[in-house]
Structures are given as C-alpha cells and as structure tokens.
Amino acid sequence: MSRFFYSIGKTAYSKPWLFIAGWLLILGIIITAIVSNGVSTSSETRIDGTAAQDVLDELAEEYPAASGGQGSYLFEVTEGEAIDDPANAQALAMAINEIYELDHVVNPMDMMQDPEAMAQMQEMQGMLSQLQTTEIAHRPLVIQDMPVPGVQISEDGSVALFQFQLTKTAEDLSEGEREELADAAAIAEDGSSITVIPTGTLQGVDIPIGGTHEIVGLAIAGVILVVTLGSLIAAGLPLMVALIGVGVGVGGTFALSSMFEINSLTPVLGLMIGLAVGIDYALFIVNRQRKLIIDQKLSAKEAAARAIGTAGSAVFFAGLTVIIALSGLLVIGISFLSSMALVAALTVFIDVLVALTLLPALLGLIGERIVSVKTRNKEAAKNGSKASFAQGWITGVLKMKWVAVLLVIAVLGTLAIPVAQMNLGMPSGESANEDTPTRQSYDIIADSFGEGYNGPLLVVAKDQDAGAVDPQEYFQLLSNISQLDGIAEVSPGGFNEDGTIAIISIIPENGPTDEATKELVETLRTDAATTENTNAEIGVTGMTAINIDISEKLSEVFPIYIAIIVVLSLLILLVVFRSILIPIKATAGFLLSIMATFGATTAVFQWGWLGSIFGIDTGGPLLSFIPILVTGILYGLAMDYQVFLVSSMREAYIHGEKGDNAIVSGYKTASKVVVAAALIMVSVFSGFIFTDDIMIKQIGFALAFGILVDAFLIRMIFVPAIMSMFGDKIWYLPKWLDKILPDLDIEGEKLLEQLNKEEKIRVKNTEENTI
C-alpha cells in the first residue's frame, strides 16, 4: 500500500499541472451544474415505518386535502385595543380571505358549499359543544353573526390565532409560496393597529452555509497551521486542500439536489466534517514531508513522495474509518440520516483523494521552498540540544501511568453523569432563544391559548370493515376522546369524499415536547376506551406525533448502530495495527469520551449550564438524532487520531525500538500534529455553535467537545498510559491470524526496503561506471 501511494505522490509532484487541472475541471463542472440546475433542499425529517408517518401517507392517498401541514399566524393589537374592534376585525377578515384564496391553502368554504356536508359539520359542532367539560379561555372571531373559520381570539381580546390547513407540509413550501402567505397576512396591518406574527412553521428554516462564525473558525485554524508548520506557504496548503475537497463534496451535493431530495442539514454536516478532516489530513502529510526534509536531509520531491507513501497510507485508513462509521447510518434505514451520512462520507472520501493527489501536485509547484534554508539550519541546530515538551510530557505520563488512567476515568465519568437524565426530542419554539421570532410566537400562543396549541394532534379514523364511517360512531369517537386526560379541546375535521376517512383535531393540554403529550399519543393509539362502542380504528399523526415517533425510533436503533460501527471499525484497526489489544483499547477509550460528550451536551443544552457562553437562554431536549449522528462522526474522527498517533508508535516499534521507547518515539513524532489537528477541528466545529439554529448549535458543540476530550484526554494520556501497562504485549497478534490478515504496510517498511534496494543498485551502477 505504501509503495502504491509513494508512486502516486511522485507522479503528482512531477506533473503538477495535470492533477491540478483535473481537480479544477471537476470543480468547474460542479459549479456549472449548480448554476444551471439551481439548489433545492428540504427541512422534512421523514422516517418511514413509524405509525404517524404511515397515517400521513395514507391520508395523502385517501384524503389529500387533510394530508398537508398546518400553518398559523398570530395577529396582535396594541395595548388598550381589541382584535375584534370593527376596524381591526375587518382588516383581519380581509387578510384571512386573501390567505384562503391561495392555491396551497385549503379553503373550508369549499366544503361548506355542499349543503349536506355543511349541515353535517354544524350538527357535529353542536353535539361537541355539549361534551365540553373544561372552560375555554378564548372565543371565535364573529363578523356579521358568522364565525370566521380557523380564527380564535384570546380571552383578553388582544391576540387572534389563525390556523389553516396547507395542501403540503410547511417544510415543503417554496420561498415564493411563503412570500405569498406573508403578503396576504400583511393586509391585516393596513388601516389597523394589528401586528402580524408568523408562527414557527411559517418562518422557514434558514440554515446558512458559511457565515461569520465559520470564517472565524477557519481563521483560528490558519493561525494554528502557521504555528505548527512555521511557514505561511505550508500553512496555506491544508486550507486550500480542505476548501477544494468541500467544494467538490458539498458542491456536488448541491449540483444533484434537483434530482435527489436533500435535507437542509445535509450540506452543513458535509461542510463541518469536510473542512475539519480536509485540513487535518493535509496537515499530517505536509508535516511528515517537512520532517523528512529536515531530519533526513531528503529533497522536497523525495520527501513528498515518501510522505504520501507513509503518512498518506495512514490518512487513507483514517478516512476509511470515518467513512465506515458514517456509512453505518445507512443500515438503520432512516432516509434523512442516510442522505446526511452519504454526503458527509463522500466529502471525506473526496478529502482523502485531494490529499493524496492534489496536495503532492501543489507541493511540486512549491518545490524546495516548503522548508526555507533558515528553517533547515535552525531545526538542525535544535536536534539533540534539549528534550522537547512532548518528550517531557509523555515521559511524565508513562511514569505516572496508573494515576493518569484513573484520573482520566474519574474526570470523564463525572462529566458523563448528566447522561442519566438526557431527554431526546425534536426542537420546538419552546427551546429557541427568547429574542427569536420562533420563541416569541410560541410564548404568545402558550400564554394566550395554552401550550397545546403549539403542538396539535390529528386523529384519523376508519371503519374496520373498510366501509364508510358512521356519523354517530364519529360522534362517539369525539365523545370518547374528549374524556381522556390531557385533552384541552377536540374538534371535528370532516370526512373525505366517499366518507371512508374521518379526521379529528386535538389540542393537548401540554406542549409538544412534554412527557404528558407523549403519554397522550400512546393512550390514543393503545387504549381501548378511545374506540369503545364504535367499529372504528384510528391512527394519530401531525408534526408533534411524527416528532415523538422519530425520537422513539432513533432510540431503538441506536444500540444496533453502535454495534455495527464498532465491529466494522475494530476489524479495520485490527488490520491496520496488527494487534488484538490496540483496537479494544481504542474503542474503550472512545466509549469514555462519547459518554462524557453526551453528559456535557445535556448539561449545557438541556439543563442550561453555561448557556450564556454558548448563546442559549433556554434549556430543552437534545436533538433526537444527536446520539447516532455524533457517535458515528466522533468515532471516525477519534480513530483518525488513533491511527495518526499509534501508527507512529508502531513505526518506531517495527524499526527496532521496544517498550516505552517506541511509545515515546512515536509520541514525539506525531503528538504535535495530532494536537494541532485536534485544535483545528475544535475551531471549525466551534464556529457552528454560535449560529442561530439550535440543531446546528447542538451538533457543533457535541463535535467540538467530543474532539477536545478524545484527543487530549484519551489519545494524549489514556492511550499511551494503557500501552505502557502492557509493554510489548500490546502488539501481540496470534501467528495464525497474522498469516490471514493482509499486510498493508502503513509504516512503510516495505517501501523503505524497496528504496534501499534501489539505492544500492544505483550506487553499484555508479561505481561500475566510474571504474
């Protein structure tokens, strides 16, 4: 493997413009495709096979008008006025009428044009009013003795809530359709004292790709690169390689977005990981080339080829580990997670290819300037003068190995304590910052109408014999449901054309992420009392129910996913390090760091600890797919550092150093670049913590904290200490297994043998020609 990569590096170095032109051509094609086809993303989080999604899909076929999402607007008046004052009420009615005229909004007046349907609905409403047992602190808007459909006024008359049915989910609304809704609602502000406030569903999902915070993260990464490599020229290469890799990976995703549905979080994740690993991989190779030039006095060309052969092999398998960890998400079968995983894995793969082909080509253009004469002389004078900080640190860790291991376990164990109370869910307006429109609209609805209005449920009823739903049984269902605990309001939603599907709207007493709402959904689905004295079978859907099902589904598959990536990655590490104990030790260390990561994320985002530092003012549930997503990414990245660090130790061991000497030697070689790589990743991921979107905040924090803990506590302290405890036994591999496993030669031993053989032949030929 090392010989193959060595030849690639040498060719790219010798013919730089061929490789550079190739990558620029690919990037140009992608940019052209984006300009031609545009970019299309969706914020829908769909999980097939969940109860709520199945009901929604059935509605899409049998009752399309009821299968879309729900939109809502708040209309608020200044203090001292009432929303149903004549001028305000007239302006509000005009806006509502304009909204109902839009193609993507279901107009209830269409149904009321059918006298039979209208009479049936009025009968239902009358019967339902007799069932109402709790006092409702709001009233409908009435104009000329006629209630305006979908509008409720708060008890004090200062706020009106207008809820309406969409023909598609709110996430699928185009920007143009959102603008049409906003323009129609804004009519209410003309000639009145009304302020229009869109609720969370209609504010859209604005997930920026690249912003001020991310640029700051890249700037910090640039400073770290300059300090680590000691050269502006050398420091610029990893940044250039990462940007090209992200441009091809994430750009390619955008180019294909018109053909495949892509979740709006997908390119953000690709950007996060692509920048971080792209910089790290290039840094590892450039650092190795510079060391070969300084320590072994090799030419820049030979050093670049050898760096690609050795460090490039480590980069290849480090990238492969990340790709496998991400690809494990595909086995779970959750479509939006699969797309995120595929794009992130593809971006990592592109980063690896760019590092192994474009980077040596760029090094070929720079030539010997990669290390200045001044730097060569300075580093040569340093050699052997005094022990480095890295040597002093690792020597101290190995002397106190038992204390070091116990201390790491104690610290990470303490950080993991909050995991026991980790609450998973999908984000809602309740957990948004207080100064955001999403949170403000959520609070107004909760204060004026009740928490449940922020998370309505939709019950879909069918006859068990596939016949039409009997109106009397429909009324009985309404009666049964109204008697359940946790119900604030129940209202009939009507029937489809052939009467085989009936819907019921439910307003829970509690908010969408409240545990009581989860229990209510479970009760509606399983309690026989719900369908008592009817021949109906029911399903529960709506965004609140869908989010509950998503969280439960992800919790179920999480252990399966962990098992998949651990087994696959253990096999890769077994092949890479040719050791039984090292893969086990690496995985044990990762489990410590991931538990600490989830503990810290829970404390910050759920409990609100140190929230002001990270730009949050309200705690809430952790994103339900955080455990799976972050575990996969962090496992892959943690194994990157494992490969970078331990491959250097194995290289020293293979070349004759034993016991702690091999550990110290490998640590001195790789620790500086691992520390720099970890700091760069933390800088890049931290840039995403300070965005406005709570989902990106949580992902950015978890990744940044996880890398910080894993790199500095696990890889820098725990791993070498454990290795020292086992001595040379840490490299043990049964002979029968050694024969079976392929020899990948990541350390470059076979490459060095080949180069030495070629050098001997060259010297011999030179001597013969001289004679």
Side-chain angles (χ1 to χ4, degrees), residues 10 83 236 338 435 492 502 676:
K10 201 163 191 176
I83 198 78
S338 295
D435 60 350

Side-chain angles (χ1 to χ4, degrees), residues 424-464:
L424 299 176
M426 296 300 286
S428 69
E430 184 182 16
S431 57
N433 281 353
E434 293 176 356
D435 60 350
T436 60
T438 301
R439 173 61 181 276
Q440 290 165 0
S441 63
Y442 184 97
D443 287 344
I444 292 172
I445 291 174
D447 294 340
S448 302
F449 302 96
E451 288 272 1
Y453 264 91
N454 284 297
L457 299 171
L458 191 68
V459 170
V460 179
K462 298 188 303 180
D463 185 82
Q464 290 186 20

Side-chain angles (χ1 to χ4, degrees), residues 68-89:
Q70 190 178 64
S72 56
Y73 277 99
L74 286 167
F75 300 89
E76 190 175 28
V77 293
T78 55
E79 188 175 352
E81 294 198 35
I83 198 78
D84 49 358
D85 286 344
N88 291 332

Side-chain angles (χ1 to χ4, degrees), residues 113 246 302 336 368 414 475 672:
Q113 291 173 3
V246 166
E302 182 62 23
F336 78 92
E368 298 294 340
T414 302
F475 172 72
K672 181 181 178 181

Side-chain angles (χ1 to χ4, degrees), residues 383-711:
N383 286 343
S385 58
K386 61 178 182 179
S388 64
F389 174 80
Q391 182 172 350
W393 174 264
I394 188 61
T395 301
V397 167
L398 297 186
K399 282 182 180 178
M400 305 285 290
K401 53 192 162 209
W402 287 101
V403 174
V405 169
L406 292 175
L407 188 61
V408 168
I409 292 174
V411 170
L412 297 185
T414 302
L415 287 171
I417 289 174
V419 170
Q421 297 183 38
M422 184 168 64
N423 180 28
L424 299 176
M426 296 300 286
S428 69
E430 184 182 16
S431 57
N433 281 353
E434 293 176 356
D435 60 350
T436 60
T438 301
R439 173 61 181 276
Q440 290 165 0
S441 63
Y442 184 97
D443 287 344
I444 292 172
I445 291 174
D447 294 340
S448 302
F449 302 96
E451 288 272 1
Y453 264 91
N454 284 297
L457 299 171
L458 191 68
V459 170
V460 179
K462 298 188 303 180
D463 185 82
Q464 290 186 20
D465 299 326
V469 178
D470 183 89
Q472 290 300 320
E473 291 193 357
Y474 182 48
F475 172 72
Q476 182 65 51
L477 272 177
L478 289 165
S479 176
N480 293 345
I481 291 172
S482 67
Q483 306 304 313
L484 297 176
D485 293 335
I487 300 282
E489 294 181 42
V490 179
S491 57
F495 299 79
N496 64 348
E497 281 190 20
D498 58 12
T500 57
I501 297 283
I503 60 174
I504 299 170
S505 178
I506 295 176
I507 304 297
E509 289 181 350
N510 301 283
T513 61
D514 196 283
E515 188 63 34
T517 304
K518 297 179 185 178
E519 293 174 2
L520 174 60
V521 170
E522 184 65 21
T523 298
L524 287 167
R525 288 171 171 166
T526 60
D527 194 334
T530 306
T531 55
E532 189 176 7
N533 298 323
T534 74
N535 193 42
E537 59 181 37
I538 66 169
V540 184
T541 189
M543 188 52 63
T544 298
I546 288 173
N547 288 343
I548 289 171
D549 287 354
I550 286 174
S551 298
E552 291 182 354
K553 175 72 172 178
L554 290 169
S555 297
E556 290 173 5
V557 299
F558 182 58
I560 300 171
Y561 174 63
I562 289 290
I564 290 170
I565 66 165
V566 167
V567 169
L568 290 176
S569 295
L570 281 175
L571 290 175
I572 285 185
L573 293 176
L574 177 65
V575 174
V576 169
F577 294 115
R578 308 187 73 77
S579 162
I580 296 290
L581 294 176
I582 284 180
I584 296 172
K585 173 236 1 162
T587 304
F590 170 74
L591 292 176
L592 283 172
S593 64
I594 197 65
M595 293 301 290
T597 297
F598 290 147
T601 307
T602 299
V604 171
F605 289 94
Q606 184 175 312
W607 295 354
W609 289 10
L610 304 177
S612 59
I613 296 176
F614 300 105
I616 59 169
D617 51 34
T618 305
L622 265 60
L623 195 62
S624 55
F625 55 82
I626 278 266
I628 284 181
L629 194 64
V630 169
T631 297
I633 295 170
L634 282 183
Y635 191 87
L637 298 180
M639 294 309 107
D640 276 4
Y641 299 131
Q642 177 75 13
V643 170
F644 292 162
L645 185 66
V646 180
S647 64
S648 294
M649 295 176 182
R650 178 168 173 78
E651 192 173 338
Y653 175 77
I654 291 293
H655 294 151
E657 297 189 64
K658 303 299 179 183
D660 285 358
N661 290 335
I663 296 172
V664 171
S665 180
Y667 192 94
K668 285 165 54 182
T669 300
S671 60
K672 181 181 178 181
V673 72
V674 169
V675 167
L679 290 175
I680 288 168
M681 277 204 180
V682 170
S683 300
V684 172
F685 291 146
S686 294
F688 292 86
I689 298 174
F690 301 98
T691 58
D692 293 330
D693 188 87
I694 189 64
M695 294 187 289
I696 298 177
K697 275 180 176 288
Q698 290 186 6
I699 294 172
F701 176 85
L703 292 177
F705 188 86
I707 290 295
L708 194 66
V709 166
D710 195 89

